[in-house]
Amino acid sequence: PSVSWLLEFPPSPLGFGDLVVDHDAVPRLETAFGPLRIITPTLSVIDRLAACWYHNDRQCWDQAVLVARRQTIDWNHIHAWAEAEGRDGIEIDRLRAAAGE
């Protein structure tokens, strides 16, 4: 609760479930120390859902809800990803409702 930011430096290639994200598709944030690649809020939600589903971690679901409440999310992208992962779109609709959409 006292941490504003989470930094993670995952190995390449960047993946969420079966989705592999091309290095050049990850947005770059220019900083005084050089560029830093950051995932989008939509990919953050996908990451948390993947952790929830594949590690059976309810806390990750709650984190996905928190991100979705505060950020603009591409729900069509998340639906397509979930379908490709073999998940029911109803779960994404539940997440969207929990986020207040």
Side-chain angles (χ1 to χ4, degrees):
S2 63
V3 177
S4 298
W5 297 93
L6 170 68
L7 290 180
E8 182 179 351
F9 299 94
S12 198
L14 185 60
F16 307 97
D18 288 334
L19 172 66
V20 176
V21 179
D22 182 77
H23 177 77
D24 292 329
V26 179
R28 288 170 39 141
L29 174 67
E30 297 297 331
T31 75
F33 303 101
L36 178 66
R37 293 203 182 267
I38 57 171
I39 63 172
T40 64
T42 298
L43 286 177
S44 181
V45 169
I46 287 173
D47 174 64
R48 298 294 75 210
L49 285 175
C52 174
W53 294 339
Y54 299 116
H55 303 295
N56 198 27
D57 186 343
R58 173 62 190 194
Q59 184 179 13
C60 292
W61 172 270
D62 297 338
Q63 292 165 352
V65 170
L66 290 172
V67 171
R69 281 184 184 160
R70 292 178 175 85
Q71 302 295 325
T72 300
I73 303 300
D74 181 345
W75 292 105
N76 291 331
H77 184 108
I78 293 178
H79 267 280
W81 169 79
E83 184 177 305
E85 295 289 314
R87 304 303 287 208
D88 191 332
I90 292 171
E91 293 178 82
I92 304 307
D93 295 336
R94 278 189 29 241
L95 173 67
R96 194 171 184 175
E101 292 266 331

